[in-house]
Amino acid sequence: MNKLLTVLALALIVLSCSKKTETPSFGLSGNVTNVTGRPVKNITVFLYKPGETTPVASVVSDASGVYLFQNIPSGNYDLKAMATGYTNSTQSIVLSGTTTINISLLGTSNVSGLIIDSQTGQGLTSATVSFFMNQSTPPTSGENSDLRIVTGSNGSFTINNAPTGQFVGIVEITGYYTRTISQLNFTPGAFPVPQQTLVHKVPAGQLRVILTWGATPLDLDTHLTGPAATTGTNRFHLFFGNKIPISPMSLDVDDISGFGPETTTLASFFPGVYRFSVFNYSNQTSNGGVGIQSSPAVVELYDANGLVQSFSPPTATAGNTWKVFELNFTSISAYTLNTLNVYSTASSSTNGAAFRSSGKSLSEFKLVDF
């Protein structure tokens, strides 16, 4: 009997010692984010023993950028995170209890840009600029974006240490149509995003035309002609020298230093034909169309529902004027859109007949000609 008690006592002592020498295990978790504070999702996070090349454990961050290790023995570790487009992150940690360690991933691209207000031609403050990595379908909003930043007081934004790779962008602000920026390839070093114009929403029954282009030519000009009354041959010619030829029509922004925008608002209409053209003021020779085409110029037509159509110039042969489109109004609210997309030559900006729908002089026009 004494022997049995002795054996049991020894067993209890062994079990007690075994529990005391067992290494405790803990949880390790945190958020993986980038320089704009957005979650970096679906990337692998590793735990290594210092100096070893085989990980002790690995997990994948979830849709919110959260990673979680469970039941990891206490001790010293290297916490590593790797994601496409980012520089690998490594930090040494000591795990001695349940621990939270956040990971900030940095890239090598320094992205910058400028957002312009269509109605002022100035920088647009507090616009939200979002970027999506490797997005096959263009997003409709900035939700769930990979990068996000808000423009400053002059409409500019900068994201230093952004990831490299293929991106599409979304620019949003209340009261404006959302702008999509496609085919961006963020590269190491400075990466300038092309200047973007955010178009102020158009009231019902109105139209707005936006002309934008590149750094050169410095000065492309908007020209709009149309009927100035319900009957007769009197027609208006809207351009930089006559910004409000009749009260329903206005040249809101005239740009002379490259990029645009030039913004034209059509507030109401008389029956007849309205023609929109682009004149190369910087090169008024018969070769001026080459500058329009290579700038590259883009014309966008908007109504209350958003973008109606976007126009890009054809390859230029001869001419300094891009005749873009015509609107044929059969009433004050019904029209057909006719794409022209041809070049012609105007002798000067003030030669209104050159921007109309034929080469007739003003006195020869009849309403049916427009």
Side-chain angles (χ1 to χ4, degrees):
M1 188 66 177
N2 289 337
K3 288 183 178 181
L4 179 59
L5 291 174
T6 300
V7 170
L8 289 172
L10 289 172
L12 289 171
I13 292 171
V14 170
L15 287 173
S16 176
C17 291
S18 176
K19 286 183 179 180
K20 288 180 180 179
T21 58
E22 184 179 286
T23 302
S25 297
F26 301 103
L28 172 63
S29 63
N31 296 302
V32 187
T33 58
N34 57 37
V35 71
T36 67
R38 300 296 288 172
V40 184
K41 44 190 178 280
N42 302 321
I43 64 119
T44 305
V45 182
F46 299 91
L47 270 180
Y48 291 85
K49 280 291 187 181
E52 296 184 358
T53 58
T54 301
V56 173
S58 64
V59 294
V60 175
S61 64
D62 64 16
S64 299
V66 175
Y67 75 92
L68 172 63
F69 290 100
Q70 295 178 310
N71 300 318
I72 302 298
S74 62
N76 296 328
Y77 294 93
D78 289 332
L79 179 66
K80 297 185 178 182
M82 295 183 289
T84 301
Y86 293 91
T87 301
N88 294 345
S89 169
T90 302
Q91 52 185 310
S92 298
I93 65 170
V94 178
L95 189 63
S96 57
T98 298
T99 304
T100 298
I101 297 179
N102 296 323
I103 301 172
S104 179
L105 288 180
L106 304 178
T108 59
S109 188
N110 297 322
V111 178
S112 61
L114 180 64
I115 309 301
I116 298 294
D117 187 328
S118 69
Q119 298 312 108
T120 66
Q122 303 301 311
L124 183 58
T125 304
S126 301
T128 300
V129 186
S130 305
F131 295 101
F132 294 78
M133 180 182 281
N134 300 324
Q135 184 79 29
S136 57
T137 303
T140 57
S141 77
E143 292 298 320
N144 303 314
S145 61
D146 294 295
L147 297 166
R148 179 175 290 179
I149 194 166
V150 175
T151 58
S153 59
N154 62 350
S156 67
F157 67 89
T158 300
I159 306 175
N160 292 322
N161 302 121
T164 57
Q166 297 290 331
F167 286 84
V168 295
I170 288 286
V171 188
E172 303 168 289
I173 190 171
T174 301
Y176 295 74
Y177 299 114
T178 297
R179 171 74 67 181
T180 300
I181 318 170
S182 58
Q183 298 178 340
L184 296 172
N185 182 21
F186 292 178
T187 52
F191 183 88
V193 174
Q195 178 178 301
Q196 302 296 314
T197 297
L198 231 57
V199 180
H200 202 284
K201 288 187 175 180
V202 183
Q206 298 187 18
L207 296 174
R208 182 161 291 141
V209 189
I210 307 295
L211 166 65
T212 56
W213 65 98
T216 58
L218 287 179
D219 194 359
L220 295 184
D221 282 332
T222 289
H223 289 259
L224 178 70
T225 63
T230 55
T231 59
T233 60
N234 186 25
R235 290 178 63 80
F236 70 81
H237 176 203
L238 176 151
F239 69 111
F240 70 88
N242 195 10
K243 294 182 178 180
I244 307 178
I246 57 175
S247 58
M249 310 295 161
S250 61
L251 178 58
D252 306 323
V253 177
D254 172 42
D255 182 84
I256 61 172
S257 57
F259 298 102
E262 294 227 348
T263 302
T264 304
T265 298
L266 297 76
S268 64
F269 309 91
F270 298 122
V273 173
Y274 297 77
R275 168 177 284 182
F276 186 87
S277 304
V278 175
F279 177 68
N280 189 343
Y281 188 87
S282 294
N283 181 3
Q284 301 180 30
T285 71
S286 60
N287 195 42
V290 174
I292 295 173
Q293 183 266 328
S294 62
S295 55
V298 175
V299 169
E300 296 176 323
L301 174 65
Y302 289 84
D303 64 14
N305 297 315
L307 180 65
V308 175
Q309 189 167 328
S310 179
F311 306 86
S312 296
T315 301
T317 52
N320 56 21
T321 301
W322 172 30
K323 295 180 178 179
V324 186
F325 65 81
E326 289 179 341
L327 302 169
N328 185 2
F329 274 83
T330 55
S331 69
I332 61 172
S333 60
Y335 70 89
T336 57
L337 172 62
N338 178 31
T339 300
L340 300 177
N341 241 24
V342 294
Y343 292 96
S344 65
T345 299
S347 59
S348 70
S349 293
T350 58
N351 182 8
F355 299 99
R356 298 188 179 99
S357 54
S358 76
K360 298 178 182 179
S361 66
L362 184 59
S363 62
E364 295 177 293
F365 276 112
K366 298 178 181 178
L367 187 60
V368 294
D369 291 323
F370 302 102

